Every structure is written in C-alpha cells, then in structure tokens.
Amino acid sequence: MKSSDCIFCKIVAGDIPADAVYEDEKTLAFLDIRPVNAGHTLVVPKNGHPHNIFDVSAADWAAVSETVRKVSLAVEKAMSARGINLMMNNREHAGQVVDHVHLHIIPRFAGDGLKLWPQHPYKEGEAEAVAEKIRAQF
Ligand code: 5GP
Ligand code: ZN
C-alpha cells in the first residue's frame, strides 16, 4: 500500500514530477530537488511505503542496493565526479525528513566543501563492551 501523503509515493505513482534517471521493476532513482552537488540522486523502492532500514523487506533492500550500485557508476561518470558518498538517514533523530526509505547518492568533487562527521576515540575498554552489546542482538 502506498501512503497518500508521502511525496516519494506520489513520485513513484507519477502524481508529482521528478527528474528520473533510472527505473526498474522494483526501484526508482531520481534527482534530489535540493542537491548537495549536481547529480545528487535518491533511490527508493517502488513497492509500498517502507519507512526506513528497520522496515524495508530484504528483497526490496537488495533491489535498492543493486540500483544504488548501478546508478553510482552512472552518476560518477556523467558528472565527471571524483568519488561518491552514499548516505542514508533513518528516523527523525538521524535526519530523516521524508518517511519513505531512500538512499542518497552524492557525487563529490575536489574542494566541494562537504564535511563528513566528526569522530572521537573510544575510552579504555568501551569498544569491547559496545561490540558485545551489538553481538548480543543476533
Ligand atoms: P532525508 O533527510 O529524508 O534523508 O532526505 C530527503 C530528501 O528528499 C532531501 O534531500 C530533499 O531535498 C529531497 N526532497 C524533498 N522533497 C522532494 C521532492 O518533492 N522531490 C525531490 N526530487 N526531492 C525531494
Ligand atoms: Zn511512501
């Protein structure tokens, strides 16, 4: 089922326009309306309205991944980019604004000024405890 108030469901349905760059049975790739750099592309599953990584089916995620791989090659070549960042926001506190699972393909250029996240070291013993917490989920 599509969500009637979801902008990406409307794009998939053709109810609002988008600059599509690739489409197959399960996925659609189209330009982000407010790009970080020209060629910034979003990839979405077309089947229903999965919200995020926690919600998307394994089959749709596999299809999105393969489309991201193909479209990354095309975007880098077409835009003569020097690299690609893949980015995904899941849930509001991670910066997700559109509640329909999507991956950002962002072409990168020398000196484009985009800064990635700040990092910091673990405290003594912290990494072992964190890794154990995550392993315990499987
Ligand atoms: P999020 O923060 O949810 O990961 O990113 C949503 C992205 O969707 C934003 O980068 C935003 O520019 C893009 N976006 C929002 N509305 C539209 C729209 O109507 N059309 C297109 N093509 N992109 C949109
Ligand atoms: Zn949707």
Side-chain angles (χ1 to χ4, degrees):
M1 272 264 286
K2 304 277 178 203
S3 167
S4 56
D5 53 6
C6 169
I7 201 100
F8 291 173
C9 282
K10 286 180 185 159
I11 287 174
V12 167
D15 292 343
I16 65 163
D19 293 296
V21 299
Y22 177 84
E23 183 166 17
D24 61 20
E25 192 197 331
K26 289 191 167 158
T27 65
L28 176 67
F30 54 94
L31 295 185
D32 194 298
I33 207 168
R34 295 188 70 234
V36 172
N37 287 321
H40 179 166
T41 298
L42 303 173
V43 177
V44 300
K46 299 199 295 187
N47 176 28
H49 174 70
H51 301 280
N52 49 43
I53 191 68
F54 310 108
D55 192 39
V56 66
S57 72
D60 282 341
W61 178 244
V64 165
S65 301
E66 177 55 6
T67 295
V68 166
R69 190 188 67 79
K70 285 182 187 155
V71 175
S72 293
L73 294 171
V75 168
E76 190 185 55
K77 210 166 166 191
M79 305 312 294
S80 303
R82 304 288 297 273
I84 293 278
N85 285 122
L86 301 179
M87 178 77 184
M88 189 181 187
N89 303 320
N90 294 282
R91 302 202 205 281
E92 186 183 346
H93 284 85
Q96 185 174 10
V97 174
V98 178
D99 191 35
H100 183 130
V101 66
H102 57 280
L103 233 131
H104 296 255
I105 298 173
I106 302 173
R108 297 299 306 274
F109 302 92
D112 65 11
L114 178 61
K115 291 269 187 291
L116 298 179
W117 46 72
Q119 290 177 268
H120 60 87
Y122 281 111
K123 296 188 193 82
E124 181 76 31
E126 191 186 358
E128 289 83 349
V130 169
E132 181 48 34
K133 256 190 182 172
I134 297 170
R135 282 194 296 268
Q137 298 296 318
F138 292 96

